[in-house]
Amino acid sequence: MARSLVIKVTAGADAPERCNQAFTVAAAALASGVPVSLWLTGESSWFALPGRAKEFTLAEAAPLEDLLDAVLAAGRVTLCTQCAARRGITVDDVIDGVRIAGASTFVEEALGEGVQALIY
């Protein structure tokens, strides 16, 4: 069985390099044929909303909007239930293709056979 990645990104505009690294690794893995599940938690939760990734900029980095689009097209993007609730984000607010799920789902994915979990 092929290995897959579960990537949890906790940083957003508050730590732009760490945030962009998570999205870059997710997109690069998908481009290499690795299945990816990207979890938006903490300040990265805002990127589940339409237009928010477009507002993010980091010099010498791929546009976050392009990276997110790549993950949405070929992988899975999940917004943390508690993080969404703390920010008043509902299922009706998020980009098409983003699901909202909780810690038990993250644990189930992260402990799957052949899974490597990374946290940024």
Side-chain angles (χ1 to χ4, degrees):
M1 175 185 286
R3 292 188 70 180
S4 62
L5 279 176
V6 175
I7 300 172
K8 180 186 272 194
V9 55
T10 62
D14 59 326
E17 286 184 293
R18 188 163 32 110
C19 174
N20 190 269
Q21 287 170 4
F23 281 83
T24 299
V25 168
L30 285 165
S32 298
V34 176
V36 172
S37 176
L38 179 67
W39 282 73
L40 305 176
T41 68
E43 285 303 299
S44 73
S45 299
W46 296 113
F47 300 125
L49 298 175
R52 290 294 183 100
K54 187 174 185 169
E55 297 171 1
F56 179 93
T57 59
L58 180 63
E60 307 300 326
L64 197 70
E65 180 180 38
D66 293 349
L67 298 171
L68 178 57
D69 286 347
V71 178
L72 284 166
R76 178 183 301 173
V77 178
T78 305
L79 172 59
C80 163
T81 302
Q82 289 182 18
C83 300
R86 281 190 283 276
R87 289 161 180 80
I89 300 171
T90 70
V91 69
D92 295 326
D93 300 323
V94 299
I95 298 167
D96 286 342
V98 173
R99 69 176 178 160
I100 298 177
S104 61
T105 303
F106 175 79
V107 170
E108 182 180 336
E109 283 188 19
L111 294 178
E113 185 176 337
V115 175
Q116 173 68 54
L118 302 173
I119 300 177
Y120 287 86

